[in-house]
Amino acid sequence: MRVFWTSEAFADRIVIWDCLEECHPQAAVRRDELLSAAADRLADFPEQGGVGYASPYPCGEYGVMINLENP
């Protein structure tokens, strides 16, 4: 399965980065690495993602949404 960031998801990723980077630059780096790793794992294990799941975070809620249909 191919995983890619939509423009909306990438924009959200930037918002999360900007929010964290202001007060804790190392946390911004770590959170971005975790988001990237989670998206990469979905290529091999798409069923591990929750449908409609969003995690609360100081910058709001975010989640990785997937479409299990192969293009």
Side-chain angles (χ1 to χ4, degrees):
M1 175 173 284
R2 188 171 53 103
V3 176
F4 63 93
W5 292 91
T6 64
S7 57
E8 294 88 355
F10 191 75
D12 287 347
R13 189 173 172 178
I14 297 299
V15 169
I16 292 166
W17 173 276
D18 289 344
C19 179
L20 286 174
E21 200 271 333
E22 287 182 30
C23 60
H24 202 298
Q26 294 90 353
V29 171
R30 183 67 181 139
R31 178 57 51 186
D32 195 63
E33 290 171 347
L34 290 171
L35 284 172
S36 182
D40 290 345
R41 280 191 309 274
L42 288 174
D44 293 325
F45 306 102
E47 293 84 12
Q48 83 178 23
V51 176
Y53 175 76
S55 297
Y57 209 69
C59 301
E61 291 191 351
Y62 67 88
V64 177
M65 303 299 178
I66 60 172
N67 180 345
L68 292 179
E69 296 178 17
N70 285 315

